[in-house]
Amino acid sequence: MEVLKEKVEEEEEAEREEAAVRAERGEKVVRPMEVRREEAPMTQEMLRDLEKKLSDIEMAIPEKLSTFTKDTIDISKLPLSYQSNTLKEEHLLQVADSFSRQYSHLCPDRVPLFLHPLNECEVPKLVSTTIRPTLMPYPELYNWDSCAQFVSDFLTMVPLLDPLKPVVQEEEKVPPKKYAIKPPRDLTSRFQQEQETKKLEEIKAEEERRLREEEERLLDVEKAKTDPLHGLRVHSWVLVLSGKREVPESFFIDPFTARSYSTQDDHFLGIESLWNHKNYWVNMQDCWNCCKDLVFDLGDPVRWEYLLLGTEKSHLSLTEEEEDGLNDDDDVENLGKEDEDKSFDMPPSWVEQIEISPEAFETRCPNGKKVIQYKRAKLEKWAPYLNSNGLVCRLTTYEDLECTKTLEIKEWFQNREDMLELKHIDKSTGLNVDYFKPGHPQALRVHSYKSMQPETDRIMEFYDRARVDGLVKREETSKTMTEYYRGRSDFLSYRHVSFGDRVKKLSLNSAESNPRPIVKITERFARNPEQPADEDVAERVFLISEERIQLRYHCRDDHITASKREFLRRSEVDNKGNKIVMTPDMCISFEVEPMEHTKKLLYQYEAMMRLKNEEKLSRHQAWESELEVLEILKLREEEEEEHRLTISIYDTKRNEKSKEYREAMERVMHEEHLRQVEAQLDYLAPFLAQLPPSEKMTRWQAMRVKDECLSDFKQRLIDKANLIQARFEKETQELQKKQQWYQENQVTLTVEDEDLYLSYCSQAMFRIRILEQRLNRHKELAPLKYLALEEKLYKDPRLVEFMKVFV
């Protein structure tokens, strides 16, 4: 090591100075060889003492050397590189053992080095040889600054929305009027307002003080719990040095979470050693200020003591003059010659290449589940398709540090057929909020509710572009229903329905068979630029219980008030059956600019008749909205019970249709292969085997082999025809028996029995028809197959010389 080398050099320098002083005094100067001979015994003795001291040092070996057991890993299946060491590795282990002993001798107060632990086969391996270098990804794909900036911009641009807060659309700004009405005077007491404001501020200050005291108490409780293992834990992290691949500064990576941390982070108390696939370095710097003051210049032997000499390492930071001195060619050549014999290359890694299957990569963590415990929170993660309901992440926040009182739960889902993406459950208020991606059958986007029972408080938000009616949001209570629309052709933007008490009636589903009576319907419309403002309705109110209809028109730009009209809706006939005539008192109107045609009874009568029809339509639409709510609730209950998952067509292992298609293709290819193999079979082999192997075939034997082959093939064709005929007759007889049974028991059969009978008849007729087609096809192809075989026999090279006489 460098420290020992410096000590020896200092002793030699002191000896040379002492010899020069003696020469000046005229004393006898002993020759170097004689000095070495005289001092040799002392040097050998010092070396023996040092060797004895080093051998007496006992290395602290942990009781549990490895977490691997024979039960978890089959050692016999591992390659030889896991079970033994090469000569180069044995030499390297000796160097590492000597390095470790010298380190323990010079630094007895520090913990032993993690240098050559035992692997799963109980074989010591240097930690540097456990690293298998791989190609790094392109650094421009992992720009941490741009990612952080993108997240920051995204959070800045997208504000958080309260799901229960109604949508408020900004109205168009109207230019200021030249004349305006003065607002009424504020007659409230300022003193009372100041007293109320002061009281509220005192209550708020008291609440803040109480919360601050509670936080301080919890912090004191946490500080009182001292960590007995503080500073004693050792953990392996990944250090990325700056310089290469456009890395501006060094940083750490947690291998378990893949998160990056700065070297100035307070979580890092110190560094014992560093290693890669080329060398091993020991930190010789003081870590009193954690890792904040560490210099990661691995080429500096004072700060980082290296194991092997001559391997590639980061160069020591030099000045310009020193760099100019190193550019001398002679010096470079001399340096190379000096280090040529002292260098020692690191042997290649003994670890096999890591191969991760798609299934293992998809699990992402052992058993596909990971739990992270935070302060007052717990985060659970699952692999996709591990849970049957598609749950992939759950965040639970608690009120206390013991995590016993749950505040809220957030659950994230993937691959849901109902497009459910997030479920937010607030335990304190009992509010549940479901978020959906585009594609839900009812175009549902957000569903806020406390109970799945109908006619309770809930809010439904929809993707309005996916709906025909342009519905954006629907708010429902036990007495009201409010709907917001956008982009409709009739310019409807708002509908509010008030319900009365339902008449008690015994029914299975009260909402469908016994709907709630409608008391009032309020509708608002956006401005229609094609109509005058005095004729364009802005708000329409149907007071059904009071039999009145109120209209409010849009205000013109040059007016400060809008026209209004109210109709007294009466039945068309009275109690005696007489037809009621329209009277002037049935329409009360206020017009900013009165017009003659609006005062006529005919115009008012037609307007009232039109409003009656629109009232019926609005009531029907309100009833349809109630039915749609029931349908959505029923659909959501079915989706929560079944929670079906969608599977990509490219996922051949989970997609059943794709799997069946692949298996069918494999079966067809296998059958084709069998046909090819059958075509390559020797049809004369069974008959030639009956002849003596040593004798030459005669003409009579060739004729007998040909006749036996044709006869055997003819018999097989006949047997196949008889087999098809027997199956055809059997299916026909069974069908006739089934038909006879049906004729005898037709009166007493149930609907299910008739369905089973019809299904059986359909399948039996299908089988009979297939057998008939196969039999007819066999009768047509059998003579052709016989002639084809006869032609092959005449052309067979083993019989062709005997068949020429008979041709």
Side-chain angles (χ1 to χ4, degrees):
M1 293 177 65
E2 296 292 338
V3 178
L4 296 179
K5 292 179 180 179
E6 293 176 0
K7 186 176 181 180
V8 173
E9 291 176 357
E10 291 177 358
E11 293 178 354
E12 293 178 354
E13 184 67 24
E15 291 177 359
R16 286 195 295 267
E17 292 178 356
E18 184 179 358
V21 172
R22 289 181 179 179
E24 293 177 356
R25 295 178 181 177
E27 298 179 2
K28 181 180 179 181
V29 181
V30 185
R31 292 178 299 176
M33 185 60 67
E34 294 177 354
V35 173
R36 290 177 183 174
R37 288 179 181 177
E38 292 178 0
E39 294 180 357
M42 183 63 66
T43 305
Q44 294 294 334
E45 184 178 355
M46 291 174 60
L47 291 176
R48 283 194 297 270
D49 294 341
L50 180 59
E51 183 179 359
K52 183 178 180 181
K53 291 180 180 180
L54 293 176
S55 61
D56 293 340
I57 297 175
E58 295 182 359
M59 302 298 296
I61 300 177
E63 295 181 359
K64 190 175 181 181
L65 297 177
S66 177
T67 57
F68 301 100
T69 60
K70 296 182 179 179
D71 298 334
T72 58
I73 296 180
D74 189 2
I75 301 178
S76 61
K77 296 182 179 180
L78 296 177
L80 294 178
S81 60
Y82 285 68
Q83 305 177 20
S84 61
N85 289 321
T86 61
L87 295 178
K88 194 171 185 179
E89 289 177 338
E90 292 290 347
H91 186 194
L92 180 62
L93 288 175
Q94 294 177 5
V95 174
D97 185 68
S98 175
F99 181 85
S100 179
R101 291 179 182 275
Q102 296 180 51
Y103 172 80
S104 301
H105 175 69
L106 296 175
C107 305
D109 297 335
R110 296 183 61 173
V111 296
L113 295 177
F114 186 74
L115 193 57
H116 45 76
L118 301 180
N119 65 353
E120 48 267 50
C121 298
E122 302 296 330
V123 177
K125 295 288 185 177
L126 189 68
V127 291
S128 297
T129 59
T130 61
I131 302 176
R132 188 182 185 92
T134 56
L135 294 177
M136 293 288 291
Y138 293 103
E140 54 268 15
L141 298 180
Y142 300 91
N143 193 334
W144 304 98
D145 297 336
S146 60
C147 293
Q149 184 64 29
F150 171 76
V151 174
S152 177
D153 295 343
F154 179 78
L155 293 178
T156 304
M157 291 186 293
V158 182
L160 299 178
L161 298 179
D162 188 354
L164 290 180
K165 189 176 296 182
V167 175
V168 179
Q169 298 180 353
E170 295 184 358
E171 299 181 355
E172 296 181 359
K173 294 184 178 180
V174 181
K177 304 292 189 303
K178 186 175 181 180
Y179 303 100
I181 299 177
K182 295 182 179 180
R185 292 184 178 181
D186 188 8
L187 301 179
T188 58
S189 175
R190 294 183 180 178
F191 177 75
Q192 291 181 356
Q193 292 180 355
E194 292 176 357
Q195 293 297 323
E196 291 178 358
T197 305
K198 186 177 180 181
K199 186 177 180 180
L200 292 175
E201 291 178 354
E202 291 178 356
I203 295 174
K204 186 177 179 181
E206 181 67 21
E207 184 68 19
E208 292 178 354
R209 185 186 62 80
R210 189 183 63 80
L211 293 175
R212 187 165 56 253
E213 291 178 355
E214 183 68 17
E215 290 290 338
E216 292 177 357
R217 186 185 65 81
L218 293 176
L219 290 175
D220 294 339
V221 171
E222 293 180 4
K223 291 180 179 179
K225 298 179 181 179
T226 57
D227 187 3
L229 298 179
H230 180 73
L232 300 179
R233 298 182 181 91
V234 179
H235 180 43
S236 296
W237 293 66
V238 178
L239 171 63
V240 180
L241 294 177
S242 60
K244 294 184 178 181
R245 298 184 180 274
E246 299 180 0
V247 179
E249 59 182 5
S250 303
F251 61 92
F252 295 112
I253 299 178
D254 183 4
F256 295 112
T257 61
R259 295 180 179 177
S260 62
Y261 297 89
S262 172
T263 56
Q264 308 294 324
D265 199 294
D266 295 333
H267 290 86
F268 301 92
L269 303 181
I271 297 178
E272 292 292 338
S273 58
L274 299 175
W275 67 86
N276 60 6
H277 63 288
K278 295 182 179 181
N279 207 342
Y280 186 96
W281 295 270
V282 179
N283 181 25
M284 307 302 294
Q285 305 174 66
D286 193 358
C287 298
W288 66 273
N289 194 19
C290 299
C291 299
K292 298 179 180 179
D293 298 335
L294 294 184
V295 179
F296 294 96
D297 186 4
L298 302 182
D300 188 353
V302 178
R303 294 186 174 93
W304 298 93
E305 187 68 41
Y306 53 85
L307 172 64
L308 301 179
L309 179 64
T311 57
E312 295 182 5
K313 57 182 179 293
S314 301
H315 293 286
L316 179 65
S317 300
L318 303 176
T319 61
E320 296 182 357
E321 297 179 357
E322 292 174 341
E323 289 180 357
D324 295 339
L326 288 177
N327 289 334
D328 191 4
D329 297 338
D330 298 336
D331 295 341
V332 173
E333 293 177 0
N334 296 333
L335 288 173
K337 292 179 181 179
E338 292 178 0
D339 296 342
E340 184 177 359
D341 297 333
K342 298 180 182 180
S343 62
F344 186 87
D345 296 333
M346 186 72 68
S349 177
W350 53 275
V351 181
E352 285 188 326
Q353 184 177 357
I354 299 177
E355 296 181 358
I356 303 177
S357 61
E359 294 81 8
F361 179 78
E362 196 176 49
T363 56
R364 302 179 182 179
C365 50
N367 300 325
K369 182 180 179 181
K370 185 176 183 180
V371 180
I372 305 175
Q373 191 72 36
Y374 294 97
K375 180 181 177 181
R376 297 193 185 92
K378 182 175 67 173
L379 180 63
E380 302 171 85
K381 295 182 179 181
W382 291 271
Y385 297 103
L386 184 63
N387 295 321
S388 59
N389 60 349
L391 181 63
V392 295
C393 184
R394 178 191 292 146
L395 176 62
T396 308
T397 56
Y398 301 92
E399 185 179 356
D400 54 344
L401 293 174
E402 291 77 13
C403 297
T404 57
K405 300 179 181 179
T406 305
L407 282 180
E408 62 178 9
I409 300 175
K410 290 185 178 180
E411 297 178 340
W412 286 266
F413 300 86
Q414 286 184 4
N415 307 311
R416 287 279 295 241
E417 190 173 312
D418 57 358
M419 298 300 171
L420 179 63
E421 184 177 18
L422 171 62
K423 182 185 288 291
H424 184 193
I425 304 173
D426 193 338
K427 291 293 185 179
S428 59
T429 61
L431 179 65
N432 300 337
V433 185
D434 299 341
Y435 298 88
F436 299 85
K437 296 187 294 185
H440 190 269
Q442 296 291 342
L444 195 61
R445 188 174 71 90
V446 181
H447 184 200
S448 306
Y449 59 94
K450 292 185 178 180
S451 173
M452 291 297 291
Q453 295 297 326
E455 301 178 9
T456 56
D457 295 351
R458 72 182 66 258
I459 297 177
M460 293 183 180
E461 298 182 18
F462 302 88
Y463 291 96
D464 57 291
R465 293 187 177 181
R467 293 181 61 96
V468 180
D469 56 357
L471 181 61
V472 178
K473 180 193 284 190
R474 177 183 290 128
E475 299 177 358
E476 184 184 13
T477 63
S478 59
K479 294 293 183 180
T480 62
M481 178 184 293
T482 307
E483 296 176 335
Y484 301 86
Y485 297 90
R486 181 187 300 154
R488 288 175 60 104
S489 58
D490 57 357
F491 297 94
L492 178 64
S493 61
Y494 173 86
R495 177 185 289 129
H496 180 80
V497 183
S498 299
F499 300 97
D501 296 332
R502 179 184 283 108
V503 180
K504 293 184 179 180
K505 183 179 179 181
L506 183 61
S507 59
L508 296 178
N509 196 336
S510 59
E512 294 186 15
S513 59
N514 187 20
R516 293 176 290 180
I518 299 176
V519 178
K520 178 181 177 182
I521 299 178
T522 303
E523 296 178 342
R524 296 172 185 170
F525 299 86
R527 182 72 174 90
N528 186 2
E530 297 180 358
Q531 292 185 359
D534 294 338
E535 298 179 4
D536 188 12
V537 178
E539 184 180 63
R540 184 170 61 191
V541 181
F542 298 102
L543 300 172
I544 299 174
S545 60
E546 301 178 9
E547 295 187 348
R548 289 187 301 153
I549 302 176
Q550 296 177 352
L551 298 179
R552 180 175 61 84
Y553 297 88
H554 283 279
C555 181
R556 292 173 53 176
D557 295 340
D558 55 347
H559 289 73
I560 60 175
T561 58
S563 301
K564 296 181 181 180
R565 186 172 287 112
E566 182 177 356
F567 292 89
L568 300 179
R569 185 177 59 83
R570 298 177 182 176
S571 58
E572 297 181 0
V573 294
D574 56 7
N575 296 333
K576 297 181 180 180
N578 299 325
K579 191 173 182 180
I580 299 177
V581 182
M582 184 72 182
T583 58
D585 60 345
M586 296 176 63
C587 178
I588 302 174
S589 62
F590 167 75
E591 298 181 3
V592 179
E593 292 184 359
M595 293 178 286
E596 294 295 333
H597 70 280
T598 59
K599 296 181 180 180
K600 296 181 180 180
L601 293 179
L602 178 61
Y603 174 83
Q604 296 175 2
Y605 176 77
E606 292 177 351
M608 188 173 66
M609 292 296 104
R610 186 170 59 254
L611 288 174
K612 283 185 177 182
N613 296 330
E614 292 176 351
E615 179 184 344
K616 293 180 182 179
L617 180 61
S618 298
R619 295 176 66 177
H620 180 72
Q621 292 176 351
W623 177 74
E624 287 183 345
S625 297
E626 287 190 273
L627 295 183
E628 185 181 13
V629 172
L630 295 177
E631 183 181 353
I632 292 176
L633 295 179
K634 184 178 179 181
L635 178 62
R636 287 294 301 129
E637 290 179 355
E638 295 176 356
E639 291 171 347
E640 289 297 331
E641 291 178 0
E642 298 178 0
H643 44 255
R644 298 178 181 176
L645 303 180
T646 58
I647 302 175
S648 173
I649 58 176
Y650 302 104
D651 192 348
T652 57
K653 293 192 175 182
R654 294 190 182 94
N655 197 320
E656 295 296 333
K657 294 183 179 179
S658 178
K659 185 177 180 181
E660 292 176 359
Y661 177 76
R662 187 178 70 257
E663 291 178 352
M665 293 296 297
E666 292 177 355
R667 186 166 54 254
V668 170
M669 294 177 62
H670 180 67
E671 293 175 356
E672 182 67 22
H673 177 70
L674 292 179
R675 283 196 294 269
Q676 293 179 0
V677 172
E678 184 179 358
Q680 296 175 359
L681 294 178
D682 188 3
Y683 39 85
L684 289 177
F687 308 100
L688 295 177
Q690 301 176 5
L691 301 178
S694 58
E695 298 181 2
K696 186 178 181 181
M697 186 187 303
T698 61
R699 186 175 301 171
W700 176 79
Q701 291 176 341
M703 290 298 301
R704 191 183 68 175
V705 167
K706 178 183 75 68
D707 294 340
E708 289 180 354
C709 181
L710 291 175
S711 177
D712 181 75
F713 182 70
K714 181 179 179 181
Q715 186 62 36
R716 283 193 287 130
L717 293 176
I718 295 173
D719 294 341
K720 185 175 181 180
N722 294 334
L723 179 61
I724 298 175
Q725 182 69 29
R727 291 180 179 176
F728 176 79
E729 294 176 356
K730 181 180 178 181
E731 291 290 343
T732 306
Q733 292 176 2
E734 291 181 356
L735 179 60
Q736 292 176 356
K737 291 180 181 180
K738 196 69 174 179
Q739 291 175 347
Q740 184 179 359
W741 172 84
Y742 177 75
Q743 294 294 335
E744 295 175 354
N745 304 286
Q746 184 177 3
V747 181
T748 60
L749 291 179
T750 61
V751 178
E752 295 180 356
D753 295 337
E754 291 183 357
D755 293 340
L756 293 175
Y757 169 74
L758 295 176
S759 176
Y760 173 80
C761 292
S762 176
Q763 296 177 3
M765 291 299 298
F766 175 75
R767 291 193 295 268
I768 291 173
R769 187 163 55 252
I770 293 299
L771 290 172
E772 184 179 2
Q773 292 177 0
R774 290 181 62 185
L775 182 61
N776 295 333
R777 188 163 177 258
H778 180 72
K779 290 180 180 179
E780 295 176 359
L781 296 179
L784 300 178
K785 292 181 179 179
Y786 185 84
L787 295 176
L789 179 61
E790 186 177 11
E791 184 178 357
K792 286 183 179 180
L793 293 177
Y794 277 105
K795 295 181 180 180
D796 192 276
R798 293 165 292 185
L799 304 178
V800 65
E801 57 180 346
F802 304 107
M803 297 300 162
K804 291 180 180 180
V805 182
F806 301 99
V807 175

